[in-house]
Amino acid sequence: MVMDHKYKSLESVRDALSLLVYPIQLSVELPGSFTEWLDESLAGRRKLQEEVDSLRTQQFMQKAQMQKFAALQAENIRLRELLDSSFEIGEKVLIAELMSVNLDPYKHQVVINKGEIHDVYTGQPLVDAEGVMGQIVHAGPYSSTAMLITDTSHAIPVQVNRNGLRSIALGSGAINRLELPYIPNSADIQSGDLLITSGLGGIFPKGLLIGTVLSVRDRPGELFREIEIQPAVDFSTLEEVLVITKGDARSVRLAEEP
C-alpha cells in the first residue's frame, strides 16, 4: 500500500478492475434506473394526457359557445330583416315565432306563438323578410294557426309587377311552387316576371312580393297557359314571421278561391 501510495504502481490494476466491475455495477443499478425512468415517463404521459383532455374539453366548450353566437347572430339578422320589412309594409305588425310546421302535401300550415291576447285574429296576413307567407285561419288564446300560400286550398289575388296583369295565385301542394291558372294564351306574361299582391279582397296590402314566374307553357287546344310560380319565401327555413294588423278583426275574412 505504501508503494502504491508513493509510486502509483497499482493504478493500472485498479483501472483494469474498475473496467471489469462496471458491467456488474450497471446491471445492479439498471432495474432501479429503469423503474425510475418508467415512473417519470408514466407521470409525464399522464400529465400530458390530462392536459390534452383539458384542452379538448375547452375546445368543445368554445365550439358550443361559437354555435350559440352564430345562432344569435343569425337570429339578429333575421329580426333586423323583419323589422326592415315592417317599415316597407307601412302597417302595424307583430313579430311571432313558429311553434310547429305541417307540410303535409294536402295541408300546409304553421302554428305561431301569438294569439287573441296579442290581438291576433282570423284572416290576418303573414309575411317574412322575403315576401308573403299566408294568413291566419284559427286564432286561439295564446297561439294561432296559419295557412301557407302553398296550401292547395289557398288563393291570393296577385298582379304582374311589370304590366299590372291581375290574376289569382293558387297553392299547388308543393312547398316551392304556386300555380297561376286562367291566364289566356294571348296574355303578356314571361318567365322571370315578379308577382305582387294586388290588394283586391282587402286581406293583403297591395305591393307585397309573392314570387317569380318560373315557367310559362302553352297547352295545345287549351285556352289558358300552364304557369308555375316560385314563392319568394323559403318555407323550409322559417323561424320568425310578421303578422300584419289592418282594419277591424270582425270585418276581415279569408281569401276565397276563384
Side-chain angles (χ1 to χ4, degrees):
M1 294 178 64
V2 174
M3 294 295 292
D4 178 57
H5 179 71
K6 186 174 182 180
Y7 299 105
K8 309 294 183 183
S9 58
L10 297 178
E11 186 174 352
S12 60
V13 177
R14 281 197 302 270
D15 292 342
L17 289 175
S18 65
L19 185 63
L20 292 174
V21 173
Y22 177 75
I24 299 175
Q25 293 176 337
L26 186 63
S27 62
V28 171
E29 295 175 357
L30 184 60
S33 300
F34 177 74
T35 302
E36 183 179 356
W37 172 81
L38 184 61
D39 291 341
E40 292 178 354
S41 298
L42 291 176
R45 180 182 179 85
R46 190 180 303 110
K47 184 177 181 180
L48 288 175
Q49 186 64 41
E50 291 175 354
E51 292 179 355
V52 169
D53 293 340
S54 176
L55 291 174
R56 184 179 290 114
T57 301
Q58 293 179 10
Q59 184 182 23
F60 288 157
M61 293 178 63
Q62 290 175 354
K63 284 184 177 180
Q65 291 177 352
M66 290 297 294
Q67 291 176 359
K68 284 185 177 180
F69 292 151
L72 288 174
Q73 184 180 15
E75 183 178 1
N76 287 336
I77 291 174
R78 290 195 304 270
L79 291 176
R80 186 179 297 275
E81 291 176 347
L82 286 174
L83 291 175
D84 291 341
S85 298
S86 68
F87 288 116
E88 294 177 1
I89 293 171
E91 304 286 347
K92 181 182 177 181
V93 296
L94 175 69
I95 296 179
E97 294 182 1
L98 296 189
M99 299 177 61
S100 66
V101 179
N102 182 5
L103 295 179
D104 182 275
Y106 301 102
K107 183 179 292 186
H108 290 187
Q109 294 184 348
V110 297
V111 178
I112 62 174
N113 65 343
K114 294 294 186 291
E116 293 176 340
I117 65 171
H118 307 97
D119 295 329
V120 174
Y121 51 82
T122 301
Q124 275 183 293
L126 259 67
V127 301
D128 78 345
E130 303 300 327
V132 176
M133 288 180 49
Q135 60 188 125
I136 301 294
V137 293
H138 173 73
Y142 299 99
S143 63
S144 302
T145 302
M147 180 189 299
L148 302 180
I149 60 174
T150 54
D151 191 290
T152 54
S153 61
H154 192 275
I156 180 172
V158 299
Q159 69 180 51
V160 178
N161 190 49
R162 178 172 56 86
N163 55 19
L165 177 67
R166 292 190 178 94
S167 184
I168 300 291
L170 303 179
S172 66
I175 192 174
N176 58 349
R177 291 291 183 274
L178 298 174
E179 296 176 352
L180 200 64
Y182 316 120
I183 298 294
N185 294 328
S186 59
D188 181 14
I189 187 169
Q190 306 169 3
S191 297
D193 280 343
L194 293 179
L195 289 184
I196 60 175
T197 53
S198 65
L200 299 179
I203 302 295
F204 293 90
K206 183 177 180 180
L208 300 181
L209 183 60
I210 298 294
T212 306
V213 177
L214 190 63
S215 64
V216 179
R217 290 187 293 269
D218 292 332
R219 296 179 292 184
E222 299 289 337
L223 298 177
F224 304 108
R225 289 175 168 175
E226 182 179 348
I227 301 175
E228 290 186 343
I229 309 299
Q230 181 175 5
V233 177
D234 184 359
F235 293 101
S236 63
T237 60
L238 295 176
E239 292 194 26
E240 295 91 12
V241 299
L242 287 177
V243 184
I244 301 178
T245 301
K246 182 179 181 181
D248 186 355
R250 292 172 297 180
S251 65
V252 179
R253 59 182 178 81
L254 296 179
E256 299 176 349
E257 295 186 23

